[in-house]
Amino acid sequence: MSRLARAWGQEWRYLYRDSAVMMVLLGGVLFYAFLYPLPYRHNVPGEQPVVVVNRDHSALARELTRRVEATPEVRVVARLDDEDQAREWIAEGRAHGLLVIPAHFQRDLMLGRPTTLSYAGDASYFLIYSRVVEGLLTAGTTLSLETQARRALMQGREMTRIPGELQPVRLVREGAFNPLEGYIDYVVPAVFVLILHQTLLIAAGCLTARDRWRRGQGEAAVPLRLALPLRLLNFVAIYLLFAMLYFGVFFQYYQVPRHADPIALLALATLFLTATGLCALALGYAVNRLEGPTLVVLVSSLPIVFCAGFVWPSQSLPTALRWLADLVPATPGIQAFLKLNQMGAAPHELAPELTLMLAQCLGYGLLLLLLARHRRPPQPLWVPPHRD
């Protein structure tokens, strides 16, 4: 067996014998793939409970209540007598919305007088609140237009002109890259990239820190000039399999739209994982404790989410913060994957992100070589007491 093959085999043994690293690889990557999207499996909140306060008790008011019940956004759970009782239902969590039908509702509509439908809801959860208001508004607007159309026919107006007179401008809303306007299609593609990034930093960083500690104890079996590139190769190969699982199997399972060519997606994943892997190895040499990479990732996770450009627009961030965010491979990686896989961009349209990731590969590679020469071994979290 050649020296290279023995060194490669030893690196694999270091990897699969490290229980903490294997827990991150097998537990963390797969666990988060199922756990994170689980609350949003139905993509958009629907069938939200609402209560109706009917002060009119007319046929048209009862028709409106039936229209509200028929909308996919809400369901009527109670018909109450006053608003105070309805507020108690919302405060207790038994309902998320409220519709108040005013007195003389049918009379005012039939006479063409202005009338007001009152909507209210629990705005603690914006998605739920918006769906409640959307369902109530849809039912009220539809009934109002139909009533006006019937009144126009009774007045003898021409039928073909009525729709344009009642609603001269019709709004047709369709999401360009999120047709269902759901949470999964919006955030899961970016979060999956972030999960790959963070778990790779933890796994490769901790394994590198432990390798430094072994070398400080005189236990190193693989020369450093072979260990680092082989370790990078191992992690990139493992995470390419995870990337194919995420962007293939899990995207299909969660019905997330995909537009990327598989070869282009694989090439982008290879570049992203190489930049992240070099960053992880450099992190393993930069920390002074064996648990340092995990702590760094835990502290930086939330800032990365808000600086990556998918939760908060990067153009609205301060310039200095954007520069700091560009040092993290997740920032160009998330933007590149969203453009390629969700927006159907051509590979040449990813030039800024690809250039930045290539620069990160070069920068973190040089930093790794510098740190590997001069850094001392890290300290473990717990040191056994010395015995004479």
Side-chain angles (χ1 to χ4, degrees):
M1 183 182 296
S2 67
R3 184 180 182 184
L4 179 61
R6 287 196 300 272
W8 201 355
Q10 185 62 46
E11 277 297 314
W12 276 111
R13 282 191 289 273
Y14 283 148
L15 194 156
Y16 69 74
R17 288 177 180 175
D18 194 314
S19 58
V21 171
M22 292 303 296
M23 184 179 298
V24 172
L25 293 181
L26 299 180
V29 174
L30 299 178
F31 179 72
Y32 274 110
F34 285 105
L35 176 66
Y36 186 83
L38 187 60
Y40 313 102
R41 183 67 181 90
H42 297 291
N43 222 335
V44 290
E47 294 289 325
Q48 298 303 312
V50 299
V51 293
V52 176
V53 176
N54 188 352
R55 294 175 176 171
D56 190 45
H57 302 291
S58 63
L60 206 56
R62 291 191 292 272
E63 174 65 19
L64 175 59
T65 304
R66 286 193 291 270
R67 295 289 183 96
V68 170
E69 180 70 38
T71 60
E73 293 86 2
V74 297
R75 72 178 189 277
V76 178
V77 294
R79 295 166 175 82
L80 305 177
D81 297 327
D82 58 79
E83 295 181 40
D84 292 334
Q85 190 178 2
R87 292 192 187 97
E88 291 179 4
W89 276 63
I90 295 176
E92 294 171 0
R94 291 188 287 173
H96 291 151
L98 162 66
L99 169 63
V100 178
I101 303 176
H104 311 301
F105 172 70
Q106 177 171 320
R107 184 196 67 183
D108 291 342
L109 271 184
M110 299 307 295
L111 294 176
R113 297 174 181 174
T115 185
T116 302
L117 291 173
S118 300
Y119 307 133
D122 180 5
S124 301
Y125 299 96
F126 180 73
L127 285 176
I128 292 178
Y129 176 75
S130 64
R131 294 292 286 179
V132 168
V133 173
E134 181 181 354
L136 296 177
L137 185 62
T138 299
T141 303
T142 303
L143 182 63
S144 175
L145 291 175
E146 290 181 1
T147 304
Q148 293 180 57
R150 285 198 297 266
R151 188 164 58 87
L153 286 174
M154 293 172 62
Q155 294 173 352
R157 292 157 67 182
E158 187 177 346
M159 182 178 297
T160 57
R161 299 181 58 184
I162 291 175
E165 293 175 353
L166 297 181
Q167 198 173 9
V169 178
R170 185 177 181 183
L171 176 64
V172 178
R173 186 180 62 181
E174 183 176 351
F177 306 113
N178 187 358
L180 297 178
E181 298 183 356
Y183 188 84
I184 285 184
D185 295 350
Y186 156 63
V187 78
V188 163
V191 170
F192 273 8
V193 179
L194 186 63
I195 292 173
L196 295 175
H197 176 269
Q198 301 296 76
T199 55
L200 178 53
L201 286 182
I202 293 176
C206 288
L207 192 65
T208 301
R210 291 188 178 92
D211 182 66
R212 286 174 57 203
W213 185 81
R214 284 194 300 267
R215 293 178 188 278
Q217 302 297 313
E219 300 177 9
V222 181
L224 192 60
R225 65 179 181 274
L226 290 177
L228 293 178
L230 290 176
R231 189 175 308 142
L232 176 65
L233 179 61
N234 289 344
F235 275 103
V236 169
I238 292 172
Y239 270 81
L240 278 176
L241 296 177
F242 287 145
M244 287 188 285
L245 184 66
Y246 270 33
F247 302 128
V249 176
F250 286 120
F251 270 33
Q252 178 68 27
Y253 178 73
Y254 293 118
Q255 298 181 351
V256 177
R258 295 166 295 172
H259 303 286
D261 176 74
I263 301 301
L265 188 62
L266 184 62
L268 174 59
T270 302
L271 177 60
F272 166 69
L273 294 174
T274 301
T276 306
L278 288 170
C279 179
L281 298 184
L283 179 62
Y285 272 93
V287 297
N288 292 319
R289 310 285 298 190
L290 290 178
E291 68 281 1
T294 303
L295 297 177
V296 170
V297 171
L298 290 178
V299 171
S300 63
S301 292
L302 197 57
I304 290 174
V305 169
F306 284 97
C307 293
F310 70 97
V311 172
W312 186 264
S314 56
Q315 295 82 0
S316 300
L317 295 173
T319 303
L321 197 56
R322 289 206 306 269
W323 290 346
L324 287 175
D326 286 342
L327 297 177
V328 181
T331 302
I334 288 175
Q335 292 300 320
F337 277 107
L338 291 181
K339 287 183 179 181
L340 183 67
N341 208 21
Q342 268 51 63
M343 301 181 183
H348 70 270
E349 296 178 286
L350 309 180
E353 291 79 15
L354 298 179
T355 302
L356 183 54
M357 282 189 282
L358 286 172
Q360 289 173 345
C361 288
L362 179 61
Y364 285 121
L366 294 176
L367 179 62
L368 174 61
L369 294 178
L370 180 64
L371 293 175
R373 284 188 174 186
H374 302 289
R375 293 290 287 174
R376 300 173 65 180
Q379 297 297 318
L381 181 62
W382 176 79
V383 180
H386 177 71
R387 294 181 180 179
D388 295 331

